[in-house]
Amino acid sequence: MAEFTPQPSCADPEDKNRLSIDAARQRIAKLVPTLTAWHHCPLRDALDRVLHQDIVSPMNVPAHNNSAMDGYAIRSSDINSDNFSLKQVGTAFAGHPFKGKVDTGECIRIMTGAVLPDDCDTIIMQEQVESNDNVITIHGKHRQGQHVRYAGEDIKTGATVLGAGRRLMPVDLGLIASLGIGEVNVKRRLRVAFFSTGDELKSIGETLEAGDIYDSNRYTLYGMLKRLGIDMLDMGVIPDQKAPLRQALLEASEHADVIITTGGVSVGDADYVKELLAELGQVDFWKIAMKPGRPLAFGQINQALFFGLPGNPVSVMVTFYQFVTPALRKLMGEATPPNTTQQVICTDAIRKRPGRFEYQRGILFEDEQGQTKVKITGEQGSGILRSMSMANCFILLEEQCDGVAANTVVNVQPFSGLI
Ligand code: AMP
Ligand code: MG
């Protein structure tokens, strides 16, 4: 992994120099390398994996000129009026070409996908033909080359059909298969180790004492990492104590490319976590001008990248999607996906103070006229995971925005655009 150079920290107590989201992203992007390891894998196993090399077509698609319709293959030089007759001398089925000769005044019956004989250049749809004792009468106007699919029309031999860095989708598997390719080169899987910190956290199955809560962050993290096709090491809940935390971080750094922790990076707990991280690696504590998800720790422990996310469940998801996902994608060599934000009318008024970027949880819906609009999910506290569950998008409110009046246009990021 590339040498990590620490960046100036923004953990100043006055919050004067809080990092903008873009600046934080840029700093992260600068420090995250791209892994070069890759391996060969059978096509089916390549679903959701990142391509290491371009897929170049070894053949024309379609391979032969063929018919786009059920009908008759003719020689266009035989078209002499709106009503003419030809002799049918054979039939071509998909997978069973007609091997004979088609002379002037002759035609063959041809099915969709069947190879077009070299002698023919035009297809007549069967609906425009009357057939009687191997003689067909053709009605209407016809154009040379109609209903013919030409060899190489979709893909020419040597064309790049998918670029390196592409995360393979179901359609890609089909496309690659259509070229007769059964194995591809993909980037190696990333390994991410994660754990939760907090003395109040209990795992499912344990009894909750007063003040305890169930650890939900490890489950959302599991889901988000799984979607990215990442191998995971779930290290459970680590108490807020130096020795177990040190041990967990060291163990994680031995086994993973990336370590993600949640909790323990806000002002209340940061001091000694900071001390520990300074001892083990190079980690900066950033205050980001955003809500939710203000505190974020980022750096390196041994050879592993480290993300210390805040503890609040919504903050975890927001900071993961905004900072960790792009970093993981870069690490695994994935090309940057297109921006999926869109502008829609927000039917609710939203109160907001300028000075920080807000990710409000929104619900995209269709009004009675069929127009897509957005409303907020209600309470927006960063501990309210249900606000994420009810939502299907983030409403993006820029740093300088000082509130939104009802029925004005806002930017939204649909969850479907996030993995
Ligand atoms: P912290 O960042 O550690 O101060 O935690 C902020 C808030 O998030 C506190 O209310 C914690 O109880 C809560 N929290 C921290 N970690 C988790 C977790 N793994 N699952 C659910 N809630 C958490
Ligand atoms: Mg805590």
Side-chain angles (χ1 to χ4, degrees), residues 195 197 238-250 261 264 269-283 285 300-301 306:
F195 58 83
T197 67
I238 307 295
D240 288 319
Q241 294 162 24
K242 233 173 172 175
L245 263 174
R246 178 192 283 112
Q247 203 195 329
L249 287 166
L250 284 175
T261 64
D269 355 53
D271 281 350
Y272 94 90
V273 177
K274 221 187 226 170
E275 192 185 310
L276 187 59
L277 290 170
E279 173 200 320
L280 297 176
Q282 292 150 306
V283 178
F285 285 77
Q300 189 161 359
I301 296 174
F306 173 82

Side-chain angles (χ1 to χ4, degrees), residues 196-198 200-201 211 213-218 237 240 262-269 295 309-313 316 382-383:
S196 300
T197 67
E200 75 283 23
L201 302 178
I213 55 170
Y214 286 118
D215 174 5
S216 57
N217 288 344
R218 281 190 296 128
V237 177
D240 288 319
T262 65
V265 289
S266 34
V267 185
D269 355 53
L309 307 185
N312 269 312
V316 168
S382 56

Side-chain angles (χ1 to χ4, degrees), residues 22 45 110 116 204 270 298 301 305 394:
D22 282 346
D45 295 349
I110 193 164
L116 184 70
I204 297 168
F298 172 69
I301 296 174
L305 286 177
F394 286 125

Side-chain angles (χ1 to χ4, degrees), residues 1-9 19 23-35 257-258 282-284 286 297-300 302-307 326-328 330-331:
M1 207 162 273
E3 194 52 34
F4 176 74
T5 327
Q7 295 291 307
S9 169
L19 267 186
R25 264 200 212 114
Q26 279 164 19
R27 284 188 184 189
I28 292 170
K30 226 157 100 199
L31 295 167
V32 173
T34 294
L35 297 183
D257 303 301
V258 179
Q282 292 150 306
V283 178
D284 281 333
W286 295 342
F298 172 69
Q300 189 161 359
N302 293 324
Q303 292 308 300
L305 286 177
F306 173 82
F307 286 92
L328 296 176
K330 181 167 182 210
L331 252 184

